Amino acid sequence: MTASHPTPLTDDPDWWRSAVVYQVYVRSFADANGDGVGDLAGIRQHLPYLRDLGVDALWLTPFYTSPMIDGGYDVADYRDVDPSFGTLTDFDAMIGDAHSLGLRIIVDLVPNHTSSAHPWFVAALAAGPGSPERARYLFTEGRGERGELPPNDWESIFGGPAWTRVEDGQWYLHLFDPAQPDLDWRNPEVRAEFEDILRFWLDRGVDGFRIDVAHGMIKAEGLPDVGFSTMTTGRRQVELLGKGRLPYFDQDEVHEIYRAWRPILDSYPGGRMAVAEAWAETPQRLARYIGPNELHQAFNFDFLDATWSAESFRKVIDTALAEAAIVGAPTTWVLSNHDKQRHVTRYGDGPDGLRRARAAALLMLALPGCAYVYQGEELGLPEVLDLPDELRQDPAFRRTGESRDGCRVPIPWGGDLPSYGFGPQGCELSWLPAPATWAALSVAAQTGVPGSTLELYREALRIRRTHPALASEGAGISWLEAEPGVLAFSRTAGGSELTCVVNISGVPAHVAGYGEPVVAIEPLAGTGDGHLLPVDSAAWFERR
Ligand code: NOJ
């Protein structure tokens, strides 16, 4: 075993219940060595920024050895760092610094599939049909007279068939790219390997795991057809991370895996946690992934999918809180991530999209539970829509025409010229180019500027951490009477009350009786007995 870092953060095993977790898309966060790709040393350099922002933990997307066909979600060695991101020594230094700054580290675990460059898959190809090496994956015979047709009608989430044929005639399953063969989780050897990988990173001091495709590891017995496909109906079986009921997703047996993982997490001190990236048909099925015997959280993607309307948000919030109450685990809130168009753009782009995104941030950060902030959302970054096709790297792009590159453009840290401080001084390289408009959105350009999105996040996070009504998960929400299209709820604890109001009504709203504004996305005009909340605006009010 290698060096482990005892964390000074072991005193609160429930830290994750109300944490704010900042998602670091490692390739695009900060580049310390000037090769145009973000790295662990770059994260380490910017830890003070994250501490000052006021988040509690970082979730790092995969930084393991990988051919980078899917940005690192194609892992060739689960116990090492890809040279483009650094070394295990860099990881140890980064987590050590993070812990001493009071920041926890969640790492991404990719158990559904390996890279085709993983030694197991290389051995499977070499060993041939019927071998124990092939039994770690889902190899099978094809249909048709000579086995020339795929074994079933399953489609890859990245488009096209989910099966690829190898030289000896067998086919293997890949729910994503052909370079990401699916493991057979009914094989005990696969289970034992991942339990060991969990321990490897827990021993190195990680505080938790984000479980990739947590709903996909078990496939229905007999690999039955779905019954329709793009070929037959023109309708795709599954959109990129969609949530239909399918024989390759959300099978009941997948829960056995998490019931085996939980005691491992619980055997370490300090509240080691796991969050599922799971897409289930209903909030009820999603809730089955969490609880005292399984995982700690699941991403609540319904919040991310909510449209810019009071009804939509209200419904999602009520459902999520009700489900969370049943399973006794806090819900999560997420507005953006590395797979989805940034919410500034989803909410209308331009100034309208930005003000709505800022209002959504105040909504999210006032809710009980754990909030996930995607890097750059604190800067109000929009999706980059006009990347040249030849620069796009998302493997889905060539197959479906859809690309996730626009939300993965490197972070602008400062300066007037691209890549805006992403690399060391004087270095202009970045694996995707940032638009000219991002000079004004950089960290340096927004720091200390009253009213900037960065200062709004800092202020909201400061209040969330220190205000009795927000600081604990305990204070639930009470919806307040409000005009149609206005969301208003309060949380009360320790003798003080904090009210969040978001105006999605299309007309200015008169807000009175909630006390004094403590943070707002823009200065509010007084009306004598209250305040006027403009259209698409939000504010928090306090009464002590
Ligand atoms: C979900 C990840 O978030 C996404 O980026 C990746 O492409 C797929 N899982 C496959 O690992």
Side-chain angles (χ1 to χ4, degrees), residues 39-233:
D39 45 42
L40 296 177
I43 298 172
R44 188 176 175 208
Q45 286 170 359
H46 289 88
L47 290 171
Y49 164 77
L50 297 170
R51 185 229 15 230
D52 295 346
L53 178 60
V55 300
D56 302 292
L58 318 185
W59 148 32
L60 310 187
T61 54
F63 49 80
Y64 316 109
T65 314
S66 164
M68 299 292 156
I69 302 294
D70 185 19
Y73 282 94
D74 46 322
V75 180
D77 183 348
Y78 288 84
R79 298 180 184 80
D80 207 350
V81 174
D82 192 82
S84 65
F85 296 139
T87 61
L88 278 173
T89 308
D90 292 330
F91 179 84
D92 292 340
M94 186 274 306
I95 196 170
D97 281 10
H99 284 165
S100 58
L101 290 173
L103 294 166
R104 289 181 160 88
I105 299 290
I106 296 171
V107 297
D108 219 310
L109 187 72
V110 189
N112 179 67
H113 45 265
T114 68
S115 160
S116 52
H118 190 285
W120 273 11
F121 194 72
V122 175
L125 289 184
S131 61
E133 287 83 355
R134 284 223 172 159
R136 294 167 177 151
Y137 292 90
L138 288 151
F139 276 89
T140 188
E141 306 305 325
R143 295 203 274 214
E145 251 172 56
R146 292 172 307 285
E148 73 281 12
L149 299 172
N152 65 23
D153 66 0
W154 295 3
E155 285 182 342
S156 154
I157 289 128
F158 289 164
W163 296 92
T164 289
R165 198 173 193 195
V166 298
E167 266 182 17
D168 54 49
Q170 280 207 314
W171 298 74
Y172 70 89
L173 179 72
H174 51 86
L175 289 183
F176 294 88
D177 192 83
Q180 295 166 295
D182 279 48
L183 288 162
D184 184 355
W185 272 85
R186 296 184 195 275
N187 182 336
E189 198 187 349
V190 171
R191 295 189 185 213
E193 171 70 355
F194 275 86
E195 290 177 9
D196 193 64
I197 292 166
L198 283 176
R199 289 200 177 89
F200 177 87
W201 292 103
L202 288 164
D203 287 340
R204 284 202 112 82
V206 305
D207 302 282
F209 297 91
R210 176 264 189 193
I211 314 297
D212 189 61
V213 201
H215 56 313
M217 280 120 87
I218 296 287
K219 280 74 184 177
E221 291 278 13
L223 309 175
D225 278 339
V226 170
F228 70 89
S229 66
T230 312
M231 295 275 277
T232 55
T233 62

Side-chain angles (χ1 to χ4, degrees), residues 313-391:
F313 279 121
R314 171 93 191 234
K315 190 165 160 240
V316 168
I317 292 168
D318 281 342
T319 309
L321 292 177
E323 290 306 323
I326 292 171
V327 293
T331 191
T332 62
W333 310 103
V334 51
L335 289 166
S336 275
N337 65 28
H338 66 293
D339 289 328
K340 289 283 181 174
Q341 192 177 70
R342 283 189 178 272
H343 59 282
V344 167
T345 303
R346 290 204 319 271
Y347 293 153
D349 220 13
D352 284 351
L354 180 58
R355 67 183 283 118
R356 290 171 180 168
R358 287 158 56 98
L362 288 194
L363 172 63
M364 173 169 84
L365 295 174
L367 289 167
C370 178
Y372 283 81
V373 171
Y374 178 47
Q375 67 179 33
E377 93 175 50
E378 80 280 19
L379 305 175
L381 296 186
E383 185 83 359
V384 180
L385 297 169
D386 58 357
L387 286 171
D389 286 355
E390 62 277 13
L391 295 185

